[in-house]
Amino acid sequence: MKHSFLVCITLLGLSLFLNAQDTSQPITGTFNNVKFSEFVSEIEQQSNYRFYFNTHELDSVRVTIQAMRKPLNEILNLIFKDTEFRYSIDRYAYVYVTHRNPIIAELPTYFFSKDFAATESTDLDNTRFTEAEKVKTEKVLVIGTRGTNTKATATLAGYVRNNKSGESLVGVTVMIEKPLIGAVTDGNGYYSITLPKGPHVLKINSLGMKGVEKSIILHADGRLNIDMEEDVLPLKEVIIESSRDETVLGLQMGLEKFDFKTMKQLPVALGEVDVIKTVLTLPGVQTVGEGTVGFNVRGGATDQNLILFNDATIFNPSHLFGFFSAFNPDIIKDVELYKSGVPAEYGGRIASVLDLNTREGNRKKWSGSGGISPITGRLAFEGPIIKDKLSFLISGRSTYSDWLLREIPSSAINKSEASFYDLNANLNYEINPKNNLAVTAYTSHDAFKLQGDTVYSYQNHVLGLKWKHIFSNRLLGNLTTNYSGYEYTIQSTANPVNAFNLDYSIRQLQTKADFDYFINSKHALSFGAGILRYDLQPGNYQPVGSESIVTPDQLQTEQAVENFVYVGDQFEVSPKLLLYGGIRYSLFANLGPRNIYLYPQGTVRDAGNIYDTLTFTKGKRVVSYGGPEYRFSARYNYTRNASFKVSYNRHRQYLQMLSNTTAIAPTDVWKLSDPYITPLIGDQISLGYYLNHGKRSIEVSIEAYYKWMQNFLDYKGGAELIQNHHIETDVLNAKGKAYGAEFMIKRTSGKLNGWFSYTYSRSLLQTKGSSSVETINRGSVYPSNYDKPHAINLIANYKFSRRYSMSANIVYSTGRPITLPVGKYTANGVDRLIYSDRNQYRIPDYFRTDLSINMEGNHRIKKLAHSYWSLSAYNLTSRRNAYSVFFKSENGVINGYKLSIFGTIIPTLSYNFKF
Amino acid sequence: MKRICLYLVVIMVGCIEPYFPSELKSNEPILIVEGFLNTNGDSKIILARSRSIIDSSQPAFETGATVWIEDENGNTTTLTNTWNGNYILENISLTAPKYRLRITTPDQQQYASEFVPVLNAPEIDSVTWRATNNEKIEVLVSTHGEPTSSPYYQWTFEETWEYRSYLNSQYFFDTNSKSVIYSNQNNYTCWRSGLSSKINIESTNRFNQNRVSNLPLTSFGWNDERTTVKYSILVKQYSLTKDAFTYWQQLKQSNEDIGSIFGPLPSELKGNLKNLEDETKPIVGFFSIGNATQKRIFIPNSAFPPPSTFRITPYRECTYDTLFLSNIPEFSGPPSYLLGGELYDGDRLIGYSYSVAFCVDCRMSGGTNSKPSYWQ
C-alpha cells in the first residue's frame, strides 16, 4: 500500500508542475496573521485565481507571509507546510484546498496509456495501476451560471457512455461522498442526481470501466455526459470491483450482476462462455443436473424465472438439449439476476428475473469479435452507419457438432443429428440527444434426431423496438414494444401409416411505457403501464403423407391479455436510511374462443364425468384474475461499510410450464391460467447484512429468505401433458414453501480474487387434495425435485502476469431428491417395481472441480486484433456425478443404475478474438 | 464390475453404471394383484407381495386367500389357488357385462376392484417380422378393431425356439461296464421358451381408424440363439379399458422408460382395487377381464439373414476330443463327459467324439427335449 501512496504523490507533483506552466500569475502582497478567507479574497482580487475550500475547515489557518511576484504555488506551499491541507490548481486557475486528500486537478490523458504501453513487458504490481487510475480526473467543470439559481440545490443529469464504442453504460454509480449522495444510471445509461450547489467531486464507477472522478462546480440544473474508459487490463478484479459500493450502499438486495468478463473467466464445459452456466455459480441458484439450462432460484421451479433478452421474454433459453444457453456471449453487455427485492417494473414470474442486455453496437468505429471451440463457432460485427448516431450489431453462432456425432463408433449415436444456431441483430439510432431508438431482432433454432427417426426442432423469435425520450433532466421515458415467440415441432415419418407432425407455439406481444422521474435528491419515482397479449397453439397433431391414418387433432387455442400498471418510489430518508416502496397491479383475462368443460362439484375432475361444456365466443372473457403486487425494500447503513437490508415482494404468474420430467424438455408446454389452473402467487421476505472490509476489497454478505408459493402445479401419477384436451384432469394444486440463507465472501481485487459462497436452502411442496388421487405423499410435506440443502461454490482466479491467468471453480451440493421404488414383486416370471412416496431419497452428493487457463495476446491498445486462448478442464477429478439413480426392469430382472452426464474430464481449447 | 459408458449425445460423455443406493428403506409388504382373466384360455390372477428391491430370495406370493369374481347382481364365482399366488378361474361362463374381483386375504383384509366390463379383443391381423439394418430381428403385430370398440390394446407373447447342443450324441458311456451303449434318447435338439417381460401397449385413439400397424413387440439379434434352428412366437392380444391402459402405461413408464435425461419421473401406482375397510391400506394392481385372441408364427433359420458376428449360444466355448476305442478301458466317463458321434477311419470305427456334458446334452443349458405339441 506504501507503493500506491508514493505513486499518488509523484502524480501530484507532476500535475502541479504541468499546471504551473499554464496558469502562473505572480502574486504580490503582505499578510500578517490574517484569516485564510481574507488571504483568498485578496488573491482573487489581484488575479484570475478562484479558490474553492471549506471555510469551516480552514478557520484555524492563519496566513503570515510576504510575497513579491511569487507564483501562487510557492506561496501555498509555504502556507500549508506542516498542515494536513493539500491544494491543487487547474488550468482554469481554480484552486482547490482540501483536507488531506488532494484533488488531482488535471492530468493529460495520454499520461497513462503511454506509460502503460512502455511497461507492457514488466510485471508491475497491478494494484498500483488500479489505485492510480482511480484518482485520474479531468478538468473542473462549471455547471450553470452563478446566481441564476436561487434554490440550495440543483439537478445534474446526463448519459454515461463508453468512450470507445459510444455505448451507454447501465448501472453506473454516480456519487459524491460528502454528503453521501448517489445515483445509478438506468437501462439507458441515464442518471439524474440532485446535489447542493457548490464544488463537488463526482465519483463514477462501473463494471469493467476505469473509475472516473469529476470535479464540478454546480450552480444550476445542468447536463453532464460522462465518458468512461474501458479497463483494457484483463484484470479479474476490475470486473467485480465496480459494483462493490453498490453492494453495501445500493438499495437492491438479492441482485447478482455480471458481464462478459466475469463469464469469460469461469471454466466452461464445452469451450463456450455461457450466461446461464455463470448464473449457476451464484448462491441461491440451483439446477437439477448437468447439461440442463433450467435453473431454480431460491426454491422456485424453472418456469418461474423471467428471462428477458433486451426486454423481450425468452421461453426456452437452451441449445442442444440444454448444454448451451441460447445466447451468444459476445454480444452480452450485462446480466442481472434479481432473486429478491424485485422492483415494481418487473412482473410475471414469481422466482426471479434474469435480465440480459446486449451491446448496442460501436458508435465510433467498425469492430468485430468471435470465437472457435470444438463444438461451436461464433462471429459478431458492429459499427457505425452514421458515426455517433446510428450503429448496428449483428452476430451469429452455429454448431458443427454433426461431424462429431458421426465419429462416434456406435450405430445408435452416429445416426443421430443435432444442430443449432442463433442470430441477433441490433440497431441503435440516436435521433438527437433527447431521443433514441433501438431495434433488436433475435432468433434461435435447434433441431435434433436421436437414434430413431423422430425429428425434434424448436425456435425462439424476438423482435423489439424501444424508444427512449428525455422530457427533462428529471423525467425520462421508454416506450417498448416487442414480440416473443416460441414453437416446437416433432415429426416422425418412419412408419408411413403412423407418420405425424406435432406443432406447438406460443406468441407474446407486449407494449409498455416506463418512466423515471427524479423528483429531488430524496425521491426517485418510477412508474409505467403495459399490456401483454398471449396467443397459444397448445398442440396441432397432423398426419404426414397419404398413407397416414393419424387423425388430425388440434387442441383449442388459448389467448389472453395481461395489463399492468406500477409505481415505485425510492425515498432517501437520510443518508443512512433508504427506502423503496412499490406497487404493481396486474390484471389477466383469459379470452375466448374457448370451450370450458364442467365437472360436478366435489368430485375428482375426470374426462369421464364432464357434464357440460361452456362455449365462449371470440374475445369473450373466460376468466380473469388480478391483484396488487407489493414491493418493498429498505437499506440502513449502519456504518459507511456495513448495511442491513430488508425486502418483501409479491408476484403473480399467469403463465406456467407443464413439465413432469426432471429437466426442462424441449417438448414442455406453456399454459395460461384458466378457470381450473389458477395463477401462481409468490411472496418472499428477505433480510441481509452486507459488509466491506479492509480497503474494501473483501465483501461479506449474508442473506436469508422465506418464500410462500400458492397454486404450484403438480401432476397426477402418469399425467399426460401432450395433446391433452382436458389438462385440468391431470394437474394438481400444490403449495410450496422455500427458505434458506446465503453466505458469501468475496475478494474483489488482488492477484488472487474470487468468491466463496455457502447456501443452506430448502424447497418443499405439499399436495393435499380432496381425494387420494389428488394427494401426493398422503398430504405430507415433501421436498421438491431441486431441494438441495447444502451448496458450496468456490471461484478463485489467480493472475500470474498480465497475460496469463488461471481460474478454478469448485462446486459441492447435496444430491437432489429422487423417488426410488419401495419394493418389487414378481408375476409371470417378471420382476416389477412399485413406487410410493415421492422424493424420499437423494442421489449422491455432487462435487466438481474445473480449471481454466486464459492466455491473452499482448496488451498493446492499438493493434489489429486482440485475442485470447482459453484452455479449460471441466470435471478435473473425473468424478462420475450422478444425474439420476434409477431402477429398471430389464428382461424381467431389476437392475439399479446411476447415470452421469459428464463422467470424465472434458478438456477444451477455444480461441476468441476481437478486432 | 463392468462399466457401460455410452456416448449419449455429441461430446457429452454420458455414463451409465450399475449402482445400488446404500440405504433403502423397506416398506410393509404391499399386496399386488396382476392379471387379466382371459376367458379364452389362461384365466388366472396372481396375488403377490412386494419385497425389498435388494431381496434376492424367492418371490413372495399371497397364498391361501379367498378370491372370487362377482357380477353386479351379486352372483359369484370362486377362483382356485393352484400354486404359489396363482388363482385360476376354472368354470368359465361369463354372462354378465361387468365383474369385479373380490379378495379376502388370510389376515382377513377385504379387497375389491371396481366393476370392469368384459372386453373381447378383435382378431390379430398379422404377426410379422423384419430384419433391421442394425442386425436385429423385429417381431411386429398388426390388428384392427371396430371403430366403436376399445382403442386400447395390450399384447403378451410366448416365444419358443429350437436349438441344438454342440455334439449330437447317440451313445452314452456306461461307467460300470466301461462300455459304450447306444441310446435313442434325444439330447441334441431342445426347445427353450420365454414369456414377454416388457409391457406392450398401444392406443389408436389418435388415429382415424381403430388400427395398429406394424407395432414392434420384441427384437433380438441376428446372431441370437433364436435364429439357429427355428423360432416361433405366440402373440396374445387383449382389449383394455382406458383406465387399464393408463395403469399399464404408468407401470411401463416407471419400470422401463426410466433413466433418460428427459425421461418421465416415476410415480405411485394406484390401480382399480382398494381395501374395503381401510382405504389407506395399500393394494396395487389392476383387474381386467375378457377374451384374448392369439396368433402363432414360425420362422425357420433359413429365413434369417446371416449375422456378421459369431452367434451367441451357450456352446461358444465348447470343444471336443476323441475317445479312441483303445482308450476305453482307461476312460473315466461321465458325469463330466458325454460322448458325441462315431468317428471312422474309412469304414472302420475308431472311436467317438466326446465333450463335457454341457456341450452334449442340450437340456443342461435350460431347455427341454420334449417337443412342444404345436411344433411344426
Side-chain angles (χ1 to χ4, degrees):
Chain A
M1 287 306 103
K2 226 174 190 172
H3 288 298
S4 46
F5 177 70
L6 279 175
V7 171
C8 288
I9 295 297
T10 326
L11 293 176
L12 174 64
L14 266 169
S15 72
L16 288 178
F17 172 74
L18 290 166
N19 293 333
Q21 310 274 316
D22 304 325
T23 56
S24 69
Q25 293 170 44
I27 304 292
T28 307
T30 305
F31 305 94
N32 198 357
N33 202 23
V34 300
K35 278 188 185 166
F36 187 73
S37 50
E38 289 168 19
F39 163 76
V40 166
S41 52
E42 173 59 33
I43 305 290
E44 285 187 343
Q45 268 181 18
Q46 55 166 274
S47 70
N48 289 334
Y49 288 116
R50 290 293 173 268
F51 279 75
Y52 293 96
F53 61 97
N54 185 329
T55 339
H56 274 299
E57 279 179 358
L58 286 145
D59 260 356
S60 58
V61 178
R62 296 274 161 170
V63 180
T64 307
I65 206 160
Q66 279 189 335
M68 180 61 89
R69 294 194 60 77
K70 282 207 169 161
L72 180 66
N73 56 333
E74 267 183 39
I75 300 170
L76 293 175
N77 284 348
L78 281 170
I79 297 172
F80 295 132
K81 208 174 94 184
D82 304 326
T83 72
E84 287 185 326
F85 293 100
R86 298 287 178 269
Y87 73 93
S88 56
I89 307 169
D90 71 10
R91 82 175 84 143
Y92 304 100
Y94 288 118
V95 183
Y96 307 95
V97 182
T98 48
H99 188 240
R100 287 210 184 109
N101 298 321
I103 284 175
I104 307 302
E106 190 157 9
L107 209 57
T109 40
Y110 58 80
F111 180 82
F112 274 101
S113 42
K114 214 164 132 193
D115 191 49
F116 185 80
T119 57
E120 185 219 315
S121 54
T122 55
D123 190 14
L124 269 178
D125 183 0
N126 297 314
T127 51
R128 262 188 279 171
F129 273 93
T130 339
E131 288 294 330
E133 277 152 16
K134 253 188 239 145
V135 292
K136 197 181 92 184
T137 60
E138 291 167 8
K139 64 192 178 206
V140 172
L141 299 154
V142 181
I143 290 156
T145 325
R146 207 194 277 226
T148 51
N149 180 4
T150 50
K151 287 189 288 182
T153 59
T155 302
L156 184 68
Y159 283 106
V160 181
R161 290 206 179 89
N162 180 322
N163 71 330
K164 262 168 123 187
S165 67
E167 282 184 305
S168 58
L169 297 169
V170 183
V172 178
T173 50
V174 178
M175 58 183 282
I176 61 166
E177 283 187 336
K178 272 190 175 178
L180 190 64
I181 297 173
V184 178
T185 58
D186 67 6
N188 307 322
Y190 190 79
Y191 74 95
S192 175
I193 186 168
T194 305
L195 302 171
K197 287 196 291 187
H200 297 289
V201 179
L202 275 183
K203 294 176 95 183
I204 300 107
N205 279 305
S206 171
L207 223 57
M209 308 302 282
K210 288 182 185 168
V212 174
E213 293 188 359
K214 292 252 178 200
S215 297
I216 58 158
I217 297 152
L218 190 63
H219 295 309
D221 289 358
R223 177 168 294 263
L224 175 64
N225 289 345
I226 298 158
D227 278 351
M228 296 184 84
E229 198 178 331
E230 232 174 277
D231 214 317
V232 288
L233 282 170
L235 294 185
K236 306 292 150 97
E237 57 265 41
V238 178
I239 301 146
I240 320 161
E241 172 185 31
S242 54
S243 55
R244 65 189 198 188
D245 277 339
E246 215 183 315
T247 315
V248 169
L249 296 181
L251 174 69
Q252 189 62 51
M253 64 187 299
L255 172 67
E256 306 285 353
K257 263 186 183 180
F258 58 87
D259 67 354
F260 180 67
K261 284 178 182 159
T262 316
M263 293 193 274
K264 177 181 124 176
Q265 71 183 341
L266 296 177
V268 288
L270 304 165
E272 182 98 351
V273 170
D274 195 290
V275 174
I276 292 179
K277 297 281 144 66
T278 310
V279 167
L280 288 174
T281 63
L282 302 170
V285 185
Q286 295 283 7
T287 176
V288 289
E290 284 171 308
T292 65
V293 160
F295 58 98
N296 304 94
V297 178
R298 290 188 171 175
T302 50
D303 66 333
Q304 295 170 5
N305 306 314
L306 181 65
I307 300 172
L308 295 176
F309 182 82
N310 285 344
D311 297 304
T313 311
I314 298 290
F315 291 101
N316 185 344
S318 74
H319 271 321
L320 203 70
F321 326 104
F323 287 96
F324 294 96
S325 56
F327 310 108
N328 184 339
D330 278 348
I331 58 162
I332 299 295
K333 179 159 76 174
D334 55 62
V335 178
E336 290 180 333
L337 176 74
Y338 292 89
K339 297 183 290 185
S340 66
V342 182
E345 60 251 42
Y346 295 107
R349 302 287 188 278
I350 68 166
S352 78
V353 179
L354 182 68
D355 194 2
L356 292 112
N357 284 298
T358 62
R359 289 187 287 112
E360 291 145 13
N362 199 317
R363 292 165 24 142
K364 312 260 186 207
K365 66 178 181 74
W366 286 71
S367 67
S369 60
I372 301 159
S373 78
I375 317 294
T376 61
R378 52 181 212 273
L379 205 57
F381 278 107
E382 58 191 297
I385 298 171
I386 305 169
K387 203 175 176 211
D388 286 327
K389 275 217 166 283
L390 181 60
S391 66
F392 76 95
L393 168 68
I394 51 169
S395 74
R397 184 168 63 144
S398 184
T399 181
Y400 26 84
S401 60
D402 270 2
W403 70 267
L404 263 169
L405 284 171
R406 274 181 227 115
E407 294 302 305
I408 293 167
S410 150
S411 66
I413 301 292
N414 59 28
K415 290 202 185 65
S416 302
E417 285 169 19
S419 67
F420 70 78
Y421 64 79
D422 54 60
L423 298 170
N424 185 80
N426 289 350
L427 209 57
N428 196 287
Y429 182 38
E430 185 164 327
I431 304 163
N432 56 43
K434 289 196 179 264
N435 290 290
N436 184 292
L437 204 61
V439 183
T440 187
Y442 165 83
T443 184
S444 83
H445 173 90
D446 266 77
F448 60 92
K449 186 167 113 180
L450 290 179
Q451 313 177 25
D453 50 284
T454 310
V455 182
Y456 296 79
S457 67
Y458 60 90
Q459 285 107 51
N460 284 299
H461 303 291
V462 160
L463 188 63
L465 190 70
K466 189 173 188 170
W467 173 42
K468 310 170 194 174
H469 177 73
I470 297 169
F471 295 93
S472 76
N473 254 8
R474 288 152 177 251
L475 178 65
L476 73 152
N478 285 305
L479 187 67
T480 313
T481 181
N482 56 41
Y483 161 80
S484 307
Y486 173 67
E487 62 214 33
Y488 75 69
T489 303
I490 303 172
Q491 198 178 64
S492 173
T493 50
N495 183 346
V497 179
N498 299 346
F500 71 89
N501 188 84
L502 174 67
D503 288 321
Y504 167 88
S505 75
I506 175 168
R507 291 169 219 289
Q508 176 191 296
L509 210 56
Q510 175 176 225
T511 299
K512 60 175 185 146
D514 301 283
F515 298 93
D516 286 311
Y517 182 47
F518 304 95
I519 303 174
N520 53 39
S521 63
K522 299 276 183 206
H523 287 277
L525 200 67
S526 54
F527 55 94
I531 180 164
L532 287 105
R533 162 89 195 182
Y534 301 99
D535 282 283
L536 277 79
Q537 167 48 263
N540 186 4
Y541 183 76
Q542 296 292 334
V544 172
S546 53
E547 275 181 74
S548 176
I549 60 164
V550 160
T551 316
D553 178 31
Q554 192 168 352
L555 295 184
Q556 300 186 63
T557 60
E558 291 184 54
Q559 42 281 312
V561 167
E562 186 182 332
N563 296 289
F564 62 86
V565 289
Y566 70 87
V567 58
D569 180 34
Q570 183 168 315
F571 174 34
E572 190 182 327
V573 183
S574 73
K576 287 194 172 229
L577 182 64
L578 188 61
L579 300 178
Y580 172 84
I583 183 169
R584 179 185 174 94
Y585 196 93
S586 55
L587 195 63
F588 170 89
N590 190 316
L591 303 174
R594 189 161 177 78
N595 291 329
I596 296 292
Y597 304 110
L598 298 181
Y599 305 86
Q601 285 281 319
T603 62
V604 175
R605 282 201 291 269
D606 184 89
N609 58 16
I610 294 173
Y611 75 89
D612 201 0
T613 305
L614 288 181
T615 303
F616 294 87
T617 53
K618 192 177 176 199
K620 189 122 193 285
R621 181 180 303 176
V622 177
V623 69
S624 60
Y625 296 102
E629 301 172 28
Y630 304 102
R631 314 285 168 86
F632 170 79
S633 309
R635 180 221 72 199
Y636 181 75
N637 264 37
Y638 147 92
T639 68
R640 173 73 176 75
N641 288 321
S643 66
F644 283 111
K645 295 180 196 179
V646 60
S647 74
Y648 164 74
N649 265 231
R650 165 166 279 209
H651 292 263
R652 286 168 197 270
Q653 181 171 344
Y654 305 104
L655 186 67
Q656 283 172 271
M657 191 155 68
L658 304 176
S659 169
N660 59 353
T661 55
T662 309
I664 293 191
T667 52
D668 287 343
V669 295
W670 291 88
K671 172 84 186 72
L672 290 168
S673 294
D674 68 14
Y676 298 108
I677 295 172
T678 45
L680 262 169
I681 298 176
D683 293 274
Q684 186 184 183
I685 287 184
S686 56
L687 200 69
Y689 178 69
Y690 309 82
L691 188 70
N692 281 348
H693 194 265
K695 283 265 171 185
R696 297 197 303 178
S697 69
I698 299 276
E699 272 178 43
V700 179
S701 68
I702 302 164
E703 280 188 31
Y705 64 92
Y706 199 101
K707 236 171 156 172
W708 297 263
M709 292 166 271
Q710 300 171 45
N711 306 328
F712 209 92
L713 278 188
D714 208 331
Y715 306 91
K716 286 184 189 168
E720 184 57 59
L721 304 180
I722 293 175
Q723 288 301 101
N724 187 335
H725 286 265
H726 13 70
I727 194 78
E728 60 270 16
T729 60
D730 272 347
V731 301
L732 303 173
N733 190 321
K735 268 188 206 161
K737 67 177 172 191
Y739 53 86
E742 294 156 9
F743 170 81
M744 174 137 137
I745 179 158
K746 207 179 209 179
R747 177 143 195 251
T748 55
S749 61
K751 278 199 155 195
L752 177 69
N753 65 77
W755 70 84
F756 167 84
S757 74
Y758 166 74
T759 307
Y760 173 77
S761 62
R762 295 304 311 266
S763 169
L764 306 166
L765 294 175
Q766 187 176 29
T767 309
K768 210 175 184 174
S770 51
S771 74
S772 71
V773 189
E774 294 173 314
T775 299
I776 306 271
N777 290 11
R778 296 174 309 281
S780 54
V781 172
Y782 65 96
S784 69
N785 289 337
Y786 34 83
D787 173 57
K788 295 169 152 184
H790 303 282
I792 291 171
N793 273 312
L794 176 69
I795 305 253
N797 304 302
Y798 188 79
K799 242 185 95 55
F800 295 102
S801 71
R802 205 166 295 119
R803 290 175 62 180
Y804 296 93
S805 63
M806 193 164 96
S807 302
N809 175 24
I810 297 172
V811 188
Y812 164 83
S813 73
T814 316
R816 71 176 170 89
I818 46 163
T819 307
L820 289 183
V822 288
K824 65 176 176 188
Y825 68 93
T826 311
N828 289 321
V830 177
D831 280 353
R832 295 225 163 91
L833 299 160
I834 48 171
Y835 292 84
S836 174
D837 287 359
R838 209 178 266 188
N839 289 349
Q840 296 302 298
Y841 294 91
R842 288 180 183 278
I843 60 172
D845 289 354
Y846 185 92
F847 178 76
R848 198 187 76 226
T849 308
D850 313 325
L851 207 62
S852 79
I853 296 168
N854 281 338
M855 285 155 285
E856 302 270 349
N858 66 51
H859 285 96
R860 274 173 218 288
I861 290 176
K862 279 180 185 149
K863 63 173 184 172
L864 203 61
H866 294 270
S867 64
Y868 72 92
W869 288 90
S870 180
L871 176 66
S872 67
Y874 184 85
N875 196 10
L876 201 65
T877 57
S878 286
R879 184 180 151 93
R880 292 171 200 267
N881 279 306
Y883 174 84
S884 68
V885 165
F886 59 93
F887 291 87
K888 209 168 178 174
S889 168
E890 290 171 318
N891 300 320
V893 184
I894 305 293
N895 294 312
Y897 293 107
K898 187 176 92 173
L899 166 68
S900 357
I901 306 262
F902 295 108
T904 182
I905 179 170
I906 301 184
T908 339
L909 183 66
S910 64
Y911 175 72
N912 303 277
F913 55 90
K914 205 173 169 179
F915 53 87
Chain B
M1 210 178 275
K2 199 183 160 191
R3 281 176 172 150
I4 318 155
C5 291
L6 303 171
Y7 285 78
L8 275 187
V9 266
V10 215
I11 29 30
M12 127 187 143
V13 193
C15 193
I16 296 175
E17 57 191 307
Y19 180 83
F20 265 82
S22 52
E23 36 159 317
L24 272 170
K25 297 165 214 157
S26 56
N27 274 43
E28 281 278 287
I30 297 168
L31 181 63
I32 313 287
V33 179
E34 190 172 308
F36 189 104
L37 276 187
N38 173 13
T39 52
N40 205 9
D42 48 344
S43 193
K44 86 176 171 196
I45 292 288
I46 298 166
L47 296 190
R49 282 281 176 184
S50 72
R51 60 210 159 94
S52 164
I53 300 183
I54 44 177
D55 186 348
S56 54
S57 62
Q58 286 301 303
F61 293 104
E62 187 78 355
T63 51
T66 314
V67 179
W68 69 98
I69 56 169
E70 186 173 282
D71 68 16
E72 285 167 301
N73 297 321
N75 302 315
T76 63
T77 313
T78 307
L79 283 76
T80 320
N81 188 191
T82 51
W83 58 284
N84 280 349
N86 289 252
Y87 294 78
I88 305 288
L89 183 62
E90 275 158 349
N91 300 315
I92 308 162
S93 56
L94 300 178
T95 47
K98 281 185 173 183
Y99 288 90
R100 69 167 177 171
L101 185 73
R102 291 291 310 270
I103 300 162
T104 305
T105 51
D107 59 352
Q108 296 310 309
Q109 296 293 320
Q110 299 276 332
Y111 299 94
S113 77
E114 288 161 18
F115 280 100
V116 295
V118 177
L119 288 182
N120 298 321
E123 288 300 324
I124 295 172
D125 287 344
S126 67
V127 175
T128 54
W129 64 277
R130 69 174 170 216
T132 66
N133 50 14
N134 57 347
E135 300 214 355
K136 288 265 173 33
I137 300 295
E138 248 181 10
V139 179
L140 314 156
V141 68
S142 296
T143 191
H144 74 279
E146 291 300 314
T148 50
S149 59
S150 171
Y152 304 103
Y153 297 92
Q154 181 172 19
W155 295 270
T156 60
F157 59 83
E158 204 182 298
E159 46 181 359
T160 312
W161 59 99
E162 188 178 325
Y163 68 97
R164 286 171 191 161
S165 69
Y166 178 65
L167 285 179
N168 185 1
S169 158
Q170 282 112 39
Y171 303 92
F172 68 91
F173 187 81
D174 184 41
T175 29
N176 293 328
S177 62
K178 292 258 178 196
S179 58
V180 175
I181 296 168
Y182 178 78
S183 150
N184 61 355
Q185 199 193 7
N186 163 39
N187 51 16
Y188 180 52
T189 300
C190 282
W191 288 265
R192 201 192 297 282
S193 62
L195 294 170
S196 50
S197 58
K198 274 194 175 170
I199 297 167
N200 287 299
I201 48 172
E202 175 68 306
S203 149
T204 63
N205 66 0
R206 63 184 194 279
F207 304 141
N208 58 21
Q209 298 166 28
N210 189 358
R211 183 146 79 95
V212 175
S213 138
N214 292 327
L215 183 88
L217 290 181
T218 186
S219 70
F220 47 86
W222 292 4
N223 59 355
D224 193 273
E225 192 194 52
R226 288 167 175 82
T227 66
T228 53
V229 183
K230 193 181 236 182
Y231 174 77
S232 175
I233 184 166
L234 174 70
V235 176
K236 291 184 185 177
Q237 176 169 296
Y238 308 83
S239 251
L240 298 182
T241 60
K242 183 178 192 296
D243 289 346
F245 179 81
T246 309
Y247 176 85
W248 285 102
Q249 190 178 39
Q250 216 179 317
L251 194 65
K252 184 180 170 67
Q253 281 177 355
S254 307
N255 276 272
E256 296 167 12
D257 301 345
I258 208 156
S260 68
I261 299 174
F262 299 134
L265 298 168
S267 54
E268 187 177 359
L269 274 173
K270 298 245 157 76
N272 67 347
L273 293 117
K274 65 180 178 209
N275 188 306
L276 288 177
E277 280 112 43
D278 181 1
E279 270 200 44
T280 60
K281 287 235 162 151
I283 174 164
V284 174
F286 207 96
F287 168 66
S288 297
I289 189 163
N291 282 302
T293 53
Q294 60 186 52
K295 199 171 197 85
R296 175 182 291 283
I297 61 160
F298 286 93
I299 315 171
N301 66 349
S302 56
F304 291 119
S308 63
T309 56
F310 287 112
R311 288 190 201 269
I312 300 166
T313 75
Y315 305 116
R316 279 190 62 186
E317 310 282 308
C318 288
T319 54
Y320 72 93
D321 212 334
T322 306
L323 173 65
F324 291 101
L325 294 176
S326 56
N327 292 338
I328 286 178
E330 297 101 69
F331 190 59
S332 56
S336 51
Y337 300 105
L338 279 178
L339 299 183
E342 298 159 334
L343 290 169
Y344 289 92
D345 177 10
D347 288 342
R348 192 167 61 95
L349 177 75
I350 54 160
Y352 302 90
S353 59
Y354 77 94
S355 187
V356 290
F358 181 84
C359 296
V360 178
D361 187 344
C362 61
R363 294 171 301 178
M364 295 186 77
S365 71
T368 168
N369 63 351
S370 64
K371 188 175 177 178
S373 57
Y374 51 81
W375 205 254
Q376 298 174 358

